[in-house]
């Protein structure tokens, strides 16, 4: 989905500060007394809480990853068993962090810990007003590119933890940073195929900052809103057809049938024309293939490339051959941008699937949400 929408306010919860320690139950192994996994939707994340420490397992940080990663989050005075000493140990709550994807930013802000962010690659991509303010104050350093991070700046910053992500098993920059003594934790939120699976990764940040109770409550609210909207969508009397994406560098990119984008269309009670295809990423198709199948689609959800119908037709005159274009039923999420041009949807959308789904239901079935104004999407004029 990342490639399909090009490369890649917040609601606030007033919660009292609560420490890391959680009640433990059941048995994790003969050597480690434990609680059960607190993750329910994310397929690549596993968290268990123990007396004085937590165990984090990341199993799918990129497509078809063959290796699992285990991290130990140790509280002050916590004792980590010998059986877990081989894994990277991180002292929590952490005080300084570097993240490498804009999708990590909302978790920091919602949990109220954005002031711990000290470095990020491609600062212009960040839309969050709070984080942009810190950037303007010089409190967050530019780190270059995720695949080629500025190691000298990072070593000078000495963040307590670097949250990285992998496209494949080849990231020599992260390997070198670990050899330099810095600690790297891989985040696989982007590789989740379900909307709630992506959003549940806020629990990882909750564990890092000893704010698991807050993170659990935040996610529970997102889950509740998402499910209620999904149930509402089932009341619709129509099931419109949907075309998605547009052309980028000669190819039409749109969500594969098992991707989170496709699932959102399905749960908004729409007939996404490629919902039966395989894969959790994006499809790369020719214009002719797309036109043949989707020329009469009722709605068109584009990427963030265009802000007007004219801009679309200027880029490709053939766009105006689609029925959705002719009927002015084309919607985009390009409207909300940060000061330096970063598109808010790329940053916040994966973390708030409840808002994305509500937007889609309003677009496709407006009679179900009288008075609601879409947050991310707008109709192109």
């Amino acid at each position: 989905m990342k490639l399909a929408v090009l490369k890649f306010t917040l609601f606030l919860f007033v919660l009292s500060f609560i420490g890391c320690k959680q009640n433990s139950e059941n048995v994790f192994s003969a050597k480690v007394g434990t609680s059960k996994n607190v993750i329910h939707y994310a397929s690549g994340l596993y968290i268990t809480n123990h007396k004085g420490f937590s165990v984090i397992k990341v199993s799918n940080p990129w497509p078809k990853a063959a290796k699992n990663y285990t991290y130990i989050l140790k509280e002050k005075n916590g004792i980590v068993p010998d059986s877990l000493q081989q894994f990277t140990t991180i002292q929590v709550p952490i005080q300084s962090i570097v993240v490498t994807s804009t999708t990590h930013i909302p978790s920091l802000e919602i949990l109220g810990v954005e002031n711990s962010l000290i470095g990020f690659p491609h600062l212009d991509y960040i839309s969050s007003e709070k984080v942009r303010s810190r950037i303007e104050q010089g409190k967050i350093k530019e780190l270059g590119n995720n695949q080629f991070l500025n190691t000298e700046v990072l070593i000078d910053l000495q963040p307590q933890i670097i949250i990285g992500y992998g496209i494949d098993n080849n990231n020599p920059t992260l390997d070198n940073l670990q050899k330099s003594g810095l600690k790297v934790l891989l985040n696989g939120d982007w590789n989740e195929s379900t909307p709630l699976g992506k959003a549940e990764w806020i629990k990882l940040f909750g564990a890092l900052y000893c704010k698991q109770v807050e993170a659990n409550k935040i996610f529970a609210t997102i889950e509740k809103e998402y499910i209620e909207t999904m149930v509402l969508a089932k009341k619709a009397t129509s099931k419109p057809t949907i075309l998605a994406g547009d052309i980028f560098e000669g190819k039409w990119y749109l969500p594969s049938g098992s991707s989170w984008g496709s699932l959102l269309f399905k749960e908004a009670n729409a007939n996404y024309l490629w919902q039966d295809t395989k894969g959790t990423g994006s499809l790369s198709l020719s214009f002719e293939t797309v036109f043949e199948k989707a020329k009469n689609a009722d709605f068109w959800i584009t990427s963030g490339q265009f802000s007007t119908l004219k801009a679309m037709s200027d880029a490709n005159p053939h766009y105006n051959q689609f029925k959705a274009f002719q009927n002015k039923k084309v919607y985009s999420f390009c409207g909300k941008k940060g000061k330096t041009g970063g598109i808010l949807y790329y940053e916040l959308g994966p973390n708030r699937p409840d808002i994305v789904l509500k937007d889609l239901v309003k677009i496709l079935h407006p009679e179900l949400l009288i008075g609601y104004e879409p947050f991310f999407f707008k109709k192109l004029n």
Side-chain angles (χ1 to χ4, degrees):
M1 184 63 177
K2 258 190 171 182
L3 185 56
V5 292
L6 306 176
K7 300 177 184 175
F8 300 112
T9 12
L10 284 171
F11 77 141
L12 299 176
F13 289 83
V14 181
L15 296 168
S16 60
F17 177 80
I18 303 172
C20 267
K21 295 185 178 181
Q22 311 283 320
N23 293 329
S24 61
E25 57 183 344
N26 301 330
V27 177
F28 181 62
S29 70
K31 295 183 179 180
V32 183
T34 69
S35 66
K36 57 188 176 183
N37 181 23
V38 302
I39 302 300
H40 305 294
Y41 293 93
S43 62
L45 180 63
Y46 178 97
I47 301 176
T48 54
N49 299 305
H50 312 266
K51 185 177 181 180
F53 67 95
S54 297
V55 177
I56 308 290
K57 292 185 179 181
V58 177
S59 63
N60 200 29
W62 58 81
K64 300 180 181 179
K67 181 180 178 182
N68 296 332
Y69 296 83
T70 301
Y71 308 93
I72 309 302
L73 308 187
K74 179 180 176 296
E75 301 168 34
K76 185 178 180 180
N77 300 324
I79 299 174
V80 178
D82 291 343
S83 60
L84 300 177
Q85 294 289 343
Q86 60 182 304
F87 302 116
T88 298
T89 298
I90 302 161
Q91 191 74 38
V92 293
I94 62 172
Q95 305 299 319
S96 62
I97 192 170
V98 163
V99 301
T100 54
S101 170
T102 56
T103 61
H104 305 158
I105 301 293
S107 292
L108 301 180
E109 188 170 347
I110 294 172
L111 289 169
V113 294
E114 69 276 1
N115 287 352
S116 64
L117 179 65
I118 59 175
F120 186 84
H122 288 308
L123 290 175
D124 286 350
Y125 288 170
I126 296 177
S127 299
S128 163
E129 292 183 6
K130 287 185 178 180
V131 177
R132 289 234 58 88
S133 176
R134 289 182 54 78
I135 291 170
E136 291 166 4
Q137 296 170 37
K139 295 180 179 179
I140 302 175
K141 300 296 183 182
E142 172 64 65
L143 299 177
N145 182 288
N146 181 57
Q147 296 299 307
F148 302 98
L149 296 173
N150 190 319
T151 55
E152 291 183 3
V153 174
L154 272 166
I155 291 172
D156 184 56
L157 284 175
Q158 287 293 303
Q160 196 172 347
I161 187 70
I162 300 168
I163 305 296
Y165 68 88
I167 303 300
D168 51 34
N169 194 29
N170 182 29
N171 197 323
T173 301
L174 293 180
D175 294 340
N176 290 334
L177 288 169
Q178 291 183 93
K179 291 176 182 177
S180 299
L182 295 177
K183 295 182 179 181
V184 177
L185 190 156
L186 291 177
N187 182 311
D189 60 355
W190 72 276
N191 198 36
E192 295 287 342
S193 60
T194 67
L196 289 176
K198 284 181 182 289
E200 196 172 21
W201 280 76
I202 190 176
K203 293 181 180 180
L204 169 64
F205 291 94
L208 287 169
Y209 287 93
C210 291
K211 288 178 173 282
Q212 287 201 57
V213 172
E214 291 96 323
N216 291 343
K217 288 183 177 180
I218 291 166
F219 178 74
T221 300
I222 293 170
E223 177 189 26
K224 176 177 178 292
E225 293 290 330
Y226 187 93
I227 292 173
E228 287 180 354
T229 303
M230 183 175 63
V231 171
L232 179 65
K234 292 180 180 178
K235 297 180 180 180
T237 56
S238 64
K239 195 168 187 176
T241 52
I242 287 188
L243 162 65
D246 42 46
I247 295 175
F248 178 62
E249 295 184 348
K251 288 291 185 180
W252 195 304
Y253 292 100
L254 62 169
S256 297
S258 299
S259 68
W260 82 292
S262 176
L263 186 56
L264 278 163
F265 293 146
K266 178 181 179 181
E267 295 185 340
N269 201 2
N271 177 18
Y272 173 51
L273 294 172
W274 279 268
Q275 64 188 14
D276 294 329
T277 58
K278 304 296 183 182
T280 58
S282 62
L283 299 170
S284 173
L285 305 175
S286 67
F287 174 88
E288 293 76 15
T289 300
V290 173
F291 181 71
E292 181 181 359
K293 190 167 189 173
K295 60 185 177 182
N296 291 317
D298 297 313
F299 290 88
W300 184 351
I301 308 296
T302 73
S303 72
Q305 286 196 77
F306 308 109
S307 58
T308 65
L309 293 175
K310 184 178 184 304
M312 290 184 69
S313 60
D314 286 348
N316 190 323
H318 298 297
Y319 283 150
N320 59 22
Q321 298 178 45
F322 289 88
K323 173 186 170 183
F325 188 99
Q326 295 166 2
N327 292 340
K328 297 183 179 180
K329 290 188 175 181
V330 183
Y331 292 80
S332 173
F333 48 75
C334 70
K336 283 188 166 63
K337 294 183 180 180
K339 289 182 180 179
T340 52
I343 296 177
L344 183 62
Y345 180 86
Y346 296 150
E347 185 172 305
L348 183 58
N351 295 270
R352 292 302 306 273
D354 55 322
I355 298 177
V356 179
L357 182 60
K358 201 167 186 178
D359 280 9
L360 291 173
V361 172
K362 176 61 177 181
I363 291 168
L364 301 169
H365 313 290
E367 73 282 0
L368 297 179
L369 288 168
I370 302 297
Y372 176 76
E373 290 294 327
F375 180 81
F376 290 114
F377 292 92
K378 73 168 187 176
K379 179 186 284 191
L380 298 190
N381 297 316

